[in-house]
Amino acid sequence: MHENDGQNSRPSPNGSGRIRDVAREAGVSTATVSRTFNRPDSVKHQTLERVFEAARKLNYIPDSAARAMGSKVSRRIGVLIPTIDDSIFTRFIGALQQRLSKDRYTLLVGVYDFDPEYEANELHSLIESGVDGVVLCGARRSNDLYELLQGRNIPFVNASIYSPESPYPSVGPDFRSAAKELTRYLLDFGHRKIGFIDLASDTNDRAALRLAGIVDALEPECLSLPNERHIERPLSFEDGRIGLRTLLEYTPDLTAVICGNDVFAIGALFEAKDLDISVPGELSIVGFDNLELSAQISPGLTTVNFPTAEMGARVAEKLLMTLMGKPTPHAIHIETNLIIRGSSGPYRGLSR
Amino acid sequence: MHENDGQNSRPSPNGSGRIRDVAREAGVSTATVSRTFNRPDSVKHQTLERVFEAARKLNYIPDSAARAMGSKVSRRIGVLIPTIDDSIFTRFIGALQQRLSKDRYTLLVGVYDFDPEYEANELHSLIESGVDGVVLCGARRSNDLYELLQGRNIPFVNASIYSPESPYPSVGPDFRSAAKELTRYLLDFGHRKIGFIDLASDTNDRAALRLAGIVDALEPECLSLPNERHIERPLSFEDGRIGLRTLLEYTPDLTAVICGNDVFAIGALFEAKDLDISVPGELSIVGFDNLELSAQISPGLTTVNFPTAEMGARVAEKLLMTLMGKPTPHAIHIETNLIIRGSSGPYRGLSR
DNA sequence: GATTATTATGTAAACGGTTACATTATGGTG
DNA sequence: CACCATAATGTAACCGTTTACATAATAATC
């Protein structure tokens, strides 16, 4: 009864009405074709085969825009990252992607260059693309953005930060504790004049937390972090070099530098080499993140391992749960651990 | 005459029928709202204002899926890159993105890990997302993919390769000539035992071209590149190290290594340092790409500068032209240039 | 001021799927 | 075998825009 009527069965002139073509070819209705792809177990085995065969024959690729329209769901997740030039973030989105694709979700990436205004733009653009959920980095951002998401009922997760006290869900490390631990490690080596290079802490809460953690460790020793020993720079190897030079300018007897991430730290390491400062003999340099490069370089970089791949998987899972209406922990802690390599050691006196 | 009728003017329960809400609020038809955003000069100034005001008030964000459905155009471009872990590609997509956004196009990125099968999957997924155009890397891929694109009339550009003789449009450097020039540079220093580390040349035409270029330079000198001096590895610093170790195992009197990209080269540089081989005294190491890191490291890496940011802009422009139906050159050449730094020099004899 | 060209807006039919609901086939029971 | 529960499929409305075409407003011309 459902066979081709033979008179209008050309597979559409150039690609229009496409699910209909498959339906006609297989001799079923469009609803059945749709079900075949979306809920195969609700379709009789034999019909399934016919539809698959027809789809294959016609080279059918469903139109996700139409799907999104029809179903009110796009199966797309958006993620906003501050930069794509730090492999810590590419690892993260790689892991996100991988986990999401298992549930047939697709990832849309927006990059905002650490600029809150771009971040807002990119979020709008993600929403325009119809994402079902959003992943953000950190928690510090304009209230407007949170309201935008909540107003549209778009679930989201703040990644890269662990903030149980925040009203918003989060998955990430406790940078404050990690920074404290790292600083303690340096203090135990006898370092007293410690410098700090990081991103701008006013727009970046991770940087602010690292700063707080350092102060946490310094205070019991009656030490502090004066302004001239706290440098904020944009992110690049070169800025790590600049950071170190600036620190040394004001504090020539500096004995240790904490860098908010390994990019700065590696830059500082290069600069130390060029300045003929022996590491760790005269200067200890430590970082955050544990990039692949940090293990390769020599001396190896002492750093705080930040398992962003694991974080990506956890974030994805949390978001997927939320999308399925299942409850999830409000804040998930990602463990970091101190990795000690050759770039740090006891203070051994200056040769400068 | 078009004012609210007052009885069903609630701004939609939770976000449905949205362009209608703006239309109602502004007292115009949905067509006018649509025109307001898409061809503002076809709308009377005063109406424009009213619509913008209404849109702002209702926090209107158009639904791009619906737009795509209605207009048959998504204003999305897809790009397929082999990896996101090499900053040469992040620079590239950054530049692409930037140029495309000027024309209000959005970029969708797919990563295929140098695996042709993934590449096919990702291309399907891009098409499913309704991209208006596609950017690929290199030209060597299954015919099916080309047919898929052509069958659907989706314009595309092969980036990272300059192939005027290919039937497909391309924008990129001439790796063969560049490799030849780089090799000549080493030969002129007296190097005769040269090793080569690169990606797998069977699936990667850029690697194949670099290989060909090296051979081009060696042949006139009656030299060749025996198998044991040609290593193919996946892409990572560690694989650069492995590559160098393997080369030295079979050819202990190696005097120079050409790496297909700077990641390998930097890995090799690290390995040389760990093996106490002086660079460039005992061994010259050169690469391709000119990463930020290659200038920072010491010794600085001699390499072939590959302006991927420029390439991104050119690729974007070519694709945009094509989308507007304007003719473009079939193949565009991106200039590379040799950057000489400290990692290469005359052969000065072994201490091994 | 009637007529015509031009500009601004409205009307309604697509676009390609999904899905609630209706209908038909299938299989199990007494 | 009539009856009913269940499984499989079909019908058609709907999602939020765009756009061809129709119509209304405005400007230009005589």
Side-chain angles (χ1 to χ4, degrees):
Chain A
M1 59 206 75
H2 294 300
E3 53 261 275
N4 275 340
D5 54 21
Q7 69 195 16
N8 67 359
S9 59
R10 76 271 175 269
S12 116
N14 66 356
S16 68
R18 302 191 287 100
I19 206 180
R20 287 175 173 79
D21 302 332
V22 177
R24 189 182 308 122
E25 176 75 23
V28 299
S29 70
T30 62
T32 297
V33 177
S34 175
R35 280 188 285 256
T36 297
F37 292 110
N38 300 314
R39 299 195 314 281
D41 31 326
S42 75
V43 175
K44 192 161 65 169
H45 180 71
Q46 181 187 340
T47 314
L48 221 60
E49 300 280 271
R50 280 220 310 289
V51 173
F52 281 139
E53 173 59 20
R56 204 199 46 68
K57 180 169 166 194
L58 300 181
N59 253 302
Y60 173 63
I61 297 184
D63 175 335
S64 71
R67 191 216 300 296
M69 284 238 69
S71 66
K72 314 270 75 201
V73 157
S74 69
R75 283 194 106 74
R76 276 208 257 268
I77 301 295
V79 58
L80 255 27
I81 54 173
T83 176
I84 202 179
D85 282 333
D86 185 343
S87 62
I88 204 75
F89 290 109
T90 61
R91 266 181 1 200
F92 175 53
I93 60 179
L96 260 181
Q97 173 83 274
Q98 197 178 325
R99 181 62 190 80
L100 290 174
S101 71
K102 278 190 201 158
D103 283 50
R104 305 199 313 151
Y105 274 82
T106 261
L107 190 64
L108 255 48
V109 182
V111 181
Y112 56 89
D113 264 318
F114 292 101
D115 180 331
E117 202 175 324
Y118 283 11
E119 187 186 19
N121 287 345
E122 292 291 325
L123 180 60
H124 273 85
S125 149
L126 288 180
I127 292 177
E128 191 166 333
S129 297
V131 291
D132 296 336
V134 169
V135 177
L136 304 163
C137 285
R140 181 173 297 175
R141 61 179 54 80
S142 152
N143 238 320
D144 292 356
L145 298 194
Y146 286 121
E147 280 165 12
L148 183 57
L149 288 166
Q150 290 174 325
R152 304 201 171 231
N153 264 299
I154 300 176
F156 65 93
V157 176
N158 287 337
S160 250
I161 195 162
Y162 173 67
S163 46
E165 72 296 338
S166 151
Y168 310 116
S170 60
V171 177
D174 179 347
F175 277 119
R176 183 164 185 166
S177 304
K180 184 175 177 186
E181 184 192 357
L182 180 59
T183 310
R184 268 254 49 96
Y185 161 80
L186 291 174
L187 290 170
D188 288 348
F189 269 141
H191 295 285
R192 286 300 175 272
K193 294 227 169 167
I194 298 177
F196 179 41
I197 307 171
D198 206 338
L199 297 160
S201 55
D202 58 340
T203 55
N204 187 314
D205 46 11
R206 286 85 75 210
L209 287 167
R210 285 185 288 257
L211 175 58
I214 292 172
V215 173
D216 287 348
L218 293 177
E219 268 181 348
E221 309 282 330
C222 298
L223 295 171
S224 68
L225 190 72
N227 278 340
E228 76 273 14
R229 291 220 298 270
H230 177 199
I231 309 288
E232 299 192 339
R233 300 287 315 175
L235 186 61
S236 77
F237 294 115
E238 180 62 27
D239 283 288
R241 299 185 95 122
I242 295 172
L244 179 58
R245 281 204 302 275
T246 313
L247 283 173
L248 289 172
E249 193 177 315
Y250 292 99
T251 314
D253 53 344
L254 197 73
T255 74
V257 181
I258 300 173
C259 297
N261 60 64
D262 284 358
V263 173
F264 286 145
I266 291 166
L269 223 39
F270 289 145
E271 184 67 16
K273 176 173 293 179
D274 285 4
L275 295 176
D276 258 320
I277 298 173
S278 94
V279 174
E282 301 170 67
L283 185 70
S284 285
I285 297 178
V286 300
F288 277 84
D289 291 353
N290 193 26
L291 304 183
E292 190 202 351
L293 194 54
S294 309
Q296 298 288 341
I297 208 166
S298 73
L301 183 64
T302 294
T303 189
V304 174
N305 180 53
F306 176 11
T308 42
E310 183 200 335
M311 184 174 76
R314 305 293 292 277
V315 167
E317 251 147 38
K318 182 163 162 56
L319 205 48
L320 290 171
M321 293 288 113
T322 309
L323 286 168
M324 296 189 300
K326 296 189 188 167
T328 57
H330 179 249
I332 296 178
H333 183 230
I334 300 292
E335 294 282 342
T336 57
N337 56 300
L338 186 56
I339 298 202
I340 296 173
R341 300 202 184 94
S343 71
S344 60
Y347 170 62
R348 288 210 230 99
L350 294 182
S351 67
R352 274 167 272 162
Chain B
M1 60 207 73
H2 294 300
E3 55 262 273
N4 276 338
D5 52 24
Q7 68 196 15
N8 66 0
S9 59
R10 74 275 175 268
S12 115
N14 67 356
S16 68
R18 301 189 289 99
I19 207 180
R20 288 177 172 79
D21 300 331
V22 178
R24 189 182 308 124
E25 176 75 22
V28 300
S29 71
T30 61
T32 299
V33 177
S34 175
R35 280 188 285 256
T36 299
F37 291 110
N38 299 314
R39 299 194 314 280
D41 32 327
S42 77
V43 175
K44 193 162 65 170
H45 180 71
Q46 182 186 338
T47 314
L48 221 59
E49 298 281 88
R50 281 220 310 289
V51 173
F52 281 140
E53 173 60 19
R56 203 200 45 69
K57 179 170 166 194
L58 299 182
N59 253 300
Y60 174 62
I61 297 183
D63 176 335
S64 71
R67 192 216 299 296
M69 284 235 72
S71 67
K72 315 269 76 204
V73 157
S74 68
R75 282 194 107 73
R76 275 207 258 270
I77 300 295
V79 57
L80 254 26
I81 54 173
T83 175
I84 202 179
D85 282 334
D86 184 342
S87 61
I88 204 75
F89 291 108
T90 61
R91 265 179 4 198
F92 174 54
I93 60 178
L96 260 181
Q97 173 82 274
Q98 197 178 326
R99 180 62 191 80
L100 290 174
S101 71
K102 277 190 199 157
D103 283 51
R104 305 198 314 149
Y105 274 82
T106 261
L107 189 65
L108 254 46
V109 182
V111 180
Y112 56 88
D113 263 319
F114 292 101
D115 180 331
E117 202 175 323
Y118 282 12
E119 187 187 19
N121 286 345
E122 292 291 324
L123 180 59
H124 273 86
S125 150
L126 288 180
I127 292 178
E128 192 167 331
S129 297
V131 292
D132 296 336
V134 169
V135 177
L136 303 164
C137 286
R140 180 174 298 174
R141 59 180 55 79
S142 151
N143 237 321
D144 292 354
L145 299 194
Y146 286 120
E147 280 166 12
L148 183 57
L149 288 165
Q150 291 174 324
R152 306 200 170 231
N153 265 299
I154 301 174
F156 65 93
V157 176
N158 286 337
S160 249
I161 194 160
Y162 173 67
S163 46
E165 73 295 338
S166 149
Y168 311 117
S170 60
V171 178
D174 179 348
F175 277 120
R176 183 164 184 166
S177 304
K180 184 175 178 186
E181 185 192 357
L182 180 60
T183 309
R184 270 252 49 96
Y185 162 80
L186 291 174
L187 290 170
D188 289 347
F189 269 142
H191 295 284
R192 286 300 173 268
K193 294 227 168 165
I194 299 177
F196 179 42
I197 307 172
D198 206 339
L199 297 160
S201 55
D202 57 341
T203 56
N204 187 314
D205 46 11
R206 286 85 76 210
L209 288 167
R210 286 184 287 258
L211 175 59
I214 293 173
V215 173
D216 285 350
L218 293 177
E219 269 181 348
E221 309 282 331
C222 299
L223 295 172
S224 69
L225 190 72
N227 277 340
E228 76 273 14
R229 293 221 297 272
H230 176 199
I231 309 288
E232 299 193 338
R233 301 286 315 176
L235 186 61
S236 77
F237 294 115
E238 180 62 27
D239 283 288
R241 299 186 95 123
I242 295 172
L244 179 57
R245 280 205 302 273
T246 313
L247 284 173
L248 289 172
E249 192 177 318
Y250 291 100
T251 315
D253 53 343
L254 197 73
T255 76
V257 180
I258 300 173
C259 297
N261 60 64
D262 284 0
V263 173
F264 285 145
I266 291 165
L269 224 39
F270 288 146
E271 184 67 16
K273 175 173 292 179
D274 285 4
L275 294 177
D276 257 319
I277 298 172
S278 94
V279 174
E282 300 169 67
L283 185 70
S284 284
I285 297 178
V286 301
F288 276 85
D289 290 353
N290 192 26
L291 303 183
E292 190 202 351
L293 194 55
S294 309
Q296 298 288 340
I297 209 166
S298 73
L301 183 64
T302 293
T303 188
V304 174
N305 181 52
F306 177 12
T308 42
E310 183 201 335
M311 182 174 79
R314 305 294 291 277
V315 167
E317 252 148 36
K318 182 161 163 56
L319 205 48
L320 289 170
M321 292 291 112
T322 309
L323 286 169
M324 295 188 303
K326 296 188 188 166
T328 57
H330 180 250
I332 296 177
H333 182 228
I334 300 291
E335 295 282 343
T336 57
N337 57 299
L338 186 55
I339 297 202
I340 295 173
R341 299 202 184 94
S343 71
S344 58
Y347 171 61
R348 288 208 230 101
L350 294 182
S351 69
R352 274 167 272 163

